[in-house]
């Protein structure tokens, strides 16, 4: 029989089908209208094509290609076909062709063909180069090639320049743009090639480069905008850059006063050239950049001669002195961009000087960290051994405090801008601080003297930290270095930590520093407690009880300060850190660990008693639970209920209080977690338990919870209790079900499944109604 749906359901299905048919019909009608419009629409007219390049560009490309091809043909003729002619024939051919090509631009210019004349002139200039090569091969092949190239470059530059001037002097004709820039480009070569041909050495090469750069600079300054100026600028910067590079190589390799004097003269001339250019530049940023380069060259020049006369260690201080002297130009009448550039050059040299002494400072500051792995291994022989352990110590270390103090003096005195003066003084303070901490290792002072210097540094910095943060940071860093350095011996550790506790606690009494110094005092107090325990021979777990005294003191101090003080939170954070340290120390002894956790919970609970620290009750509860668990584990208790029942009781009580205060809180929020903490672990243990006591007790508890949930209409106990009760029942009936499954024939389960499906299908609608009722009933519960 065909199953027919109810009339209401069948009507809904028909309406849905009709709606889909209407929507499809509307879509087809819209498509039909578009196709009709497309058939009657006129075809689109193609857009006009635009050329991808302009006619002048095409002309220039063609002319350049033609000139290049002709030049290549002339080169091939010169190199390949030259030998087929005699001397007279060669001279006639090359001379005639060159003169004809060089003369061709004149009639072309008269007819207004300037671009063509430019291309033909370029071909003629290329032919003059081939003429020079051919002349060398025929008549001067025995002459040195480099020297001949220098002379030929000079002749070609003169010829090209004269050719360009001659064409430019024609009345009523525009001048060609190629000959003069080409002549200037070739003019860069004669002096340089001549110096190389004469084997004059790097000094002569550098001098030639400086002269060439000066000549190019002069041409660029006197010539207007155009190709000649571009070539001059490229030559000036290129030759000047190579001159600076060669001068640097000579500066490094100078081994005597004579070489140093030559380097000094060379670098002074180059610096004068760069500074002269900087003075004439119109844009301030360009002038500043040139002045920086000129100042650096001037510093290198002034330090070249003293560098070779004095020992190697004086190199950095000497150049630093030159850089400091360069600051005198800032107070002259030079233009402002030049003064800024010279100041930038001085700052660059000072920064490089600081980089050069950084290894010494790094060893002096980072060295004490190594004592963490060698606690109480014995006092070192001196302050240098305390930071190096007998290892690496940089050479020429005496320059470190000199450089640091000199740069600090410059920062403190030379910076006069109100916006930067405060930062400059802060930097000067940091440099002096680094110099002071480097001195004990540099002078190889006794180990106690080094500790005393660090302690006095902390004492001197603390009063200056009332209004500024940097002295306070430096004082705290120094105190850490002092504490690390004191780890060498037991006595030094105890004395230094006690002194730091007193010093930080005394400094914390002043406003503005307590938020930093009070936690520092507590931290050093915790370290002192660990040191005292170690000196007394206590086990780490017993030392943890002494560290807890610091955590308790932090909690008492925070309670006294109250929530309105800015010191409260840092002090509480220090107390938490001390508590964690105590827990870590007691981790090896379960019994003492449980005691430490309980004491931490008590301190946290006392903190939670304050009105502004109510949330601390949650970690306090967690600490108590952990303490109980650790104690149970120490007693070798394996029953999960012993661990979970205390948590469940506390959670259920808290849930009851919360639900009483706010009736909108659901039972899942109030009681779900507390019930699940015990029920779920106990249920897991039940399925692996061979005894019957736990299933009986758990089933009874689940039954009580189910009844209570039904009685008070609470969803969480009803669902959790009922689910656990069903699972416990299944656990108890599992053996009998297994036996029954073995006794039942194999055709019975499929038959039962089929009967079940038939029954469910026959009562499907009624079952759905019953499920909705159960869901609604649960939804109405709390």
């Amino acid at each position: 029989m065909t199953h027919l749906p109810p009339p209401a359901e069948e009507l809904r299905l028909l309406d849905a089908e009709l709606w889909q048919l209407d929507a499809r019909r509307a879509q087809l009608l819209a498509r039909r209208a578009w196709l009709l419009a497309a058939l009657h629409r006129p075809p689109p007219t193609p857009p006009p094509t635009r050329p991808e390049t302009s006619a002048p560009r095409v002309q220039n490309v063609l002319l350049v290609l033609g000139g290049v091809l002709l030049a290549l043909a002339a080169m091939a003729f010169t190199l390949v076909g030259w030998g087929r002619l005699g001397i007279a024939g060669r001279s006639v051919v090359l001379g005639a062709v060159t003169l004809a090509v060089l003369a061709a631009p004149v009639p072309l210019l008269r007819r207004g063909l300037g671009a063509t004349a430019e291309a033909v002139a370029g071909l003629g200039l290329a032919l003059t180069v081939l003429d020079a090569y051919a002349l060398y091969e025929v008549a001067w092949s025995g002459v040195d090639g480099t020297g001949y190239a220098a002379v030929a470059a000079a002749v070609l530059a003169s010829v090209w320049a004269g050719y360009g001037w001659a064409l430019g002097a024609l009345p009523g004709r525009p001048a060609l743009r190629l000959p003069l820039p080409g002549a200037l480009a070739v003019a860069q070569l004669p002096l340089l090639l001549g110096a190389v041909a004469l084997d004059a050495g790097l000094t002569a090469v550098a001098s030639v480069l400086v002269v060439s750069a000066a000549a190019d600079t002069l041409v660029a300054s006197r010539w207007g905008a155009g190709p000649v100026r571009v070539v001059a600028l490229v030559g000036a910067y290129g030759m000047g850059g190579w001159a600076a590079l060669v001068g640097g190589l000579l500066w490094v390799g100078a081994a005597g006063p004579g070489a140093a004097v030559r380097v000094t003269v060379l670098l002074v001339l180059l610096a004068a050239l760069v500074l002269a250019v900087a003075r004439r530049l119109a844009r301030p940023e360009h002038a500043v950049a040139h002045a920086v380069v000129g100042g650096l060259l001037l510093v290198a020049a002034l330090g070249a001669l003293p560098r070779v006369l004095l020992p190697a260690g004086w190199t950095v201080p000497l150049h630093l002195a030159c850089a400091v002297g360069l600051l005198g130009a800032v107070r002259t009448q030079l233009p402002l961009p030049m003064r800024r550039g010279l100041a930038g050059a001085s700052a660059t040299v000072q920064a490089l000087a600081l980089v050069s002494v950084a290894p010494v400072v790094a060893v002096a500051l980072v060295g004490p960290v190594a004592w963490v792995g060698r606690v109480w291994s014995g006092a070192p022989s001196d302050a240098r051994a305390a930071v190096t352990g007998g290892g690496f110590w940089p050479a020429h270390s005496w320059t470190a405090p000199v450089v640091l103090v000199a740069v600090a003096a410059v920062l403190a005195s030379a910076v006069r801008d109100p916006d930067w003066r405060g930062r400059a003084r802060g930097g000067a303070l940091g440099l002096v601080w680094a110099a002071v901490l480097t001195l004990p290792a540099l002078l190889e002072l006794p180990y106690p003297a080094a500790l005393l210097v660090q302690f006095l540094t902390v004492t001197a910095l603390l009063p200056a930290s009332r209004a500024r943060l940097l002295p306070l940071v430096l004082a705290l860093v120094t105190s850490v270095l002092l504490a690390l350095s004191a780890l060498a011996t037991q006595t030094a550790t105890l004395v230094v930590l006690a002194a730091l506790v007193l010093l930080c606690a005394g400094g914390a009494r002043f406003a503005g520093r307590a938020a930093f110094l009070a936690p520092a005092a507590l931290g050093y107090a915790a370290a002192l407690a660990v040191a005292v325990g170690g000196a007394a021979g206590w086990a780490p777990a017993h030392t943890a009880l002494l560290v807890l005294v610091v955590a308790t003191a932090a909690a008492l101090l925070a309670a006294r300060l109250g929530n309105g003080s800015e010191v409260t939170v840092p002090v509480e954070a220090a107390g938490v850190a001390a508590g964690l340290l105590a827990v870590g120390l007691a981790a090896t002894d379960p019994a003492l660990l449980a005691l430490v956790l309980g004491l931490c919970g008590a301190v946290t609970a006392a903190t939670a008693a304050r009105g502004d620290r109510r949330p601390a009750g949650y970690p306090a509860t967690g600490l108590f639970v952990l303490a109980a668990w650790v104690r149970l584990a120490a007693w070798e208790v394996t029953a999960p209920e012993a661990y979970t029942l205390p948590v469940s009781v506390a959670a259920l009580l808290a849930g009851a209080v919360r639900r009483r205060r706010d009736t909108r809180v659901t039972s899942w929020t109030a009681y779900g977690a507390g019930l699940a903490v015990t029920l779920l672990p106990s249920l897991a243990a039940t399925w692996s338990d061979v005894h019957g006591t736990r299933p009986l007790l758990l089933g009874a508890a689940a039954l009580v919870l189910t009844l209570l949930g039904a009685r008070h209409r609470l969803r969480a106990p009803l669902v959790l209790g009922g689910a656990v009760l069903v699972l416990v029942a299944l656990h108890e009936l599992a053996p009998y079900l297994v036996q029954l499954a073995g006794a039942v024939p194999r055709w019975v389960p499929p038959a039962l499944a089929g009967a079940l499906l038939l029954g469910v299908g026959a009562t499907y609608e009624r079952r759905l109604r019953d499920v909705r009722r159960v869901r609604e009933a649960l939804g109405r519960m709390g």
Side-chain angles (χ1 to χ4, degrees):
M1 295 179 63
T2 304
H3 175 71
L4 295 177
E9 181 66 18
E10 185 176 2
L11 181 61
R12 186 184 65 80
L13 295 175
L14 291 175
D15 290 339
E17 291 290 339
L18 290 174
W19 181 85
Q20 292 180 358
L21 290 175
D22 292 339
R24 180 59 177 168
R25 184 174 184 275
Q27 182 180 3
L28 294 175
L29 289 174
R31 179 63 178 174
R32 180 177 181 275
W34 184 86
L35 292 173
L36 290 174
L39 290 174
H40 294 86
R41 187 183 304 123
T45 57
T49 58
R50 299 179 58 186
E52 295 183 358
T53 184
S54 60
R57 291 185 179 180
V58 175
Q59 168 188 298
N60 292 335
V61 170
L62 294 176
L63 291 175
V64 170
L65 288 176
V68 170
L69 291 175
L70 288 175
L72 291 176
M75 185 181 298
F77 171 76
T78 304
L79 297 178
V80 178
W82 186 258
R84 301 177 182 177
L85 299 176
I87 298 177
R90 300 169 190 173
S91 302
V92 170
V93 170
L94 276 179
V97 171
T98 303
L99 292 175
V101 172
L102 291 177
V106 177
L108 292 175
L109 289 175
R110 290 175 179 175
R111 298 190 178 189
L113 301 177
T116 306
E118 200 79 50
V120 174
L123 177 61
L125 298 180
L127 288 175
T128 58
V129 178
L130 294 178
D131 290 339
Y133 171 75
L135 184 61
Y136 173 75
E137 289 291 334
V138 172
W140 304 97
S141 59
V143 179
D144 178 60
T146 306
Y148 178 80
V151 175
V155 173
L156 287 176
S158 302
V159 170
W160 290 8
Y163 179 69
W165 285 108
L167 291 179
L170 293 176
R173 302 291 182 264
L176 295 180
R177 293 178 296 176
L178 184 60
L180 291 181
L184 183 58
V186 175
Q188 311 294 320
L189 302 177
L191 291 178
L192 182 60
L193 293 176
V196 175
L198 295 176
D199 197 12
L202 284 179
T203 304
V205 171
S207 302
V208 167
L209 292 173
V210 172
V211 172
S212 300
D216 289 329
T217 303
L218 181 62
V219 172
S221 62
R222 298 297 178 87
W223 206 277
V228 175
R229 179 179 175 83
V230 173
V231 173
L233 290 176
V234 172
Y237 285 106
M239 294 296 182
W242 281 108
L245 180 60
V246 176
L249 295 176
L250 293 172
W251 184 89
V252 173
V261 170
R262 290 192 292 273
V263 172
T264 300
V265 174
L266 176 66
L267 294 179
V268 166
L269 292 176
L270 189 57
L273 176 62
V274 175
L275 292 175
V277 172
R279 186 160 190 164
R280 294 178 60 89
L281 291 175
R283 300 186 64 174
E285 58 272 17
H286 294 172
V288 170
H290 284 71
V292 169
V293 175
L296 293 176
L297 291 172
L298 194 58
V299 170
L302 296 177
L305 182 59
R307 172 177 169 270
V308 299
L309 296 177
L310 297 175
W314 285 88
T315 300
V316 174
L318 281 173
H319 287 83
L320 179 61
C322 295
V324 173
L326 193 63
L327 290 175
V330 177
R331 300 181 182 179
T332 62
Q333 300 299 321
L334 291 173
L336 180 60
M338 289 193 63
R339 284 181 283 162
R340 289 182 177 178
L342 293 175
S346 177
T348 302
V349 176
Q350 294 179 55
L352 293 175
L354 292 178
V355 171
S356 68
V357 301
V360 180
V361 179
V363 172
L365 296 181
V366 181
V369 179
W371 286 107
V372 175
R374 298 180 285 122
V375 177
W376 296 353
S377 58
S381 58
D382 53 41
R384 183 176 296 182
V387 297
T388 62
F392 169 74
W393 180 252
H396 309 301
S397 57
W398 64 269
T399 60
V402 174
V403 170
L404 294 171
V405 173
V407 177
V410 172
L411 288 175
S413 59
V415 180
R416 300 182 178 275
D417 189 349
D419 297 334
W420 289 91
R421 188 165 180 79
R423 302 175 187 177
R425 289 185 176 181
L429 177 61
L431 294 175
V432 172
W433 169 77
V436 170
L437 294 186
T438 306
L439 279 177
L442 175 65
L443 300 177
E444 298 184 86
L445 297 179
Y447 173 66
L451 297 180
L452 180 61
V453 169
Q454 292 176 339
F455 180 78
L456 293 177
T457 303
V458 178
T459 307
L461 287 171
L462 284 180
S465 63
R466 296 184 179 181
R468 301 175 62 187
L469 182 61
L470 180 61
L472 179 59
V473 173
L474 296 178
L476 292 177
V477 172
T478 309
S479 67
V480 173
L481 297 176
L482 174 59
L484 293 173
S485 300
L487 294 177
T489 63
Q490 184 182 109
T491 303
T493 301
L494 296 175
V495 172
V496 167
L497 290 177
L500 288 177
V501 170
L502 296 176
L503 188 62
C504 293
R509 299 178 59 185
F510 299 96
R513 295 180 294 174
F516 299 92
L517 294 180
L522 292 172
Y524 288 127
L528 179 61
V530 175
V532 169
W538 294 355
H542 293 87
T543 305
L545 298 175
L546 190 59
V547 176
L548 276 180
V549 176
V550 178
T552 306
L556 295 175
L557 179 59
R560 180 178 179 182
L561 293 172
N563 191 32
S565 175
E566 62 177 4
V567 190
T568 302
V569 174
V571 167
E572 289 176 341
V576 171
L580 293 175
L581 176 61
V583 171
L585 292 172
T588 57
D589 191 334
L592 283 175
L593 178 60
L595 177 60
V596 169
L597 289 172
L599 293 176
C600 290
V603 174
T604 309
T607 302
R610 294 159 46 193
D612 55 340
R613 291 293 185 268
R614 295 296 185 190
Y618 297 106
T621 304
L623 289 171
F624 285 131
V625 170
L626 288 176
W629 286 357
V630 172
R631 173 55 65 184
L632 291 173
W635 287 339
E636 298 182 356
V637 176
T638 59
E641 292 79 8
Y643 296 88
T644 58
L645 276 176
V647 180
S648 292
V649 171
L652 291 174
L653 290 176
V657 172
R658 184 177 179 183
R659 188 172 172 83
R660 180 175 298 178
R661 293 178 178 176
D662 188 359
T663 57
R664 294 174 297 178
V665 176
T666 63
S667 62
W668 283 111
T669 303
Y671 307 120
L675 294 174
V677 166
T678 296
L679 290 177
L680 297 182
S682 298
L683 180 62
T686 298
W687 282 86
S688 60
D689 194 357
V690 297
H691 303 287
T693 304
R694 178 177 282 110
L696 179 61
L697 295 177
L698 181 59
L703 178 60
V704 172
L705 286 175
T706 303
L707 296 175
L708 288 175
R711 171 67 178 81
H712 296 284
R713 302 177 62 82
L714 298 176
R715 188 185 306 174
L718 178 61
V719 174
L720 288 176
V724 172
L725 183 60
V726 170
L727 293 175
V728 170
L730 288 176
H731 171 266
E732 293 301 311
L733 295 176
Y736 302 102
L737 295 176
V738 172
Q739 295 177 3
L740 181 60
V744 173
R746 294 186 177 181
W747 58 267
V748 173
L752 291 177
L756 178 61
L757 291 176
L758 288 175
V760 171
T763 59
Y764 182 74
E765 186 175 2
R766 184 165 55 88
R767 299 302 179 189
L768 290 177
R769 186 171 59 252
D770 294 340
V771 170
R772 293 194 198 97
R773 289 177 180 176
V774 173
R775 186 177 62 185
E776 293 173 358
L778 290 175
R780 289 193 296 269
M781 292 185 179

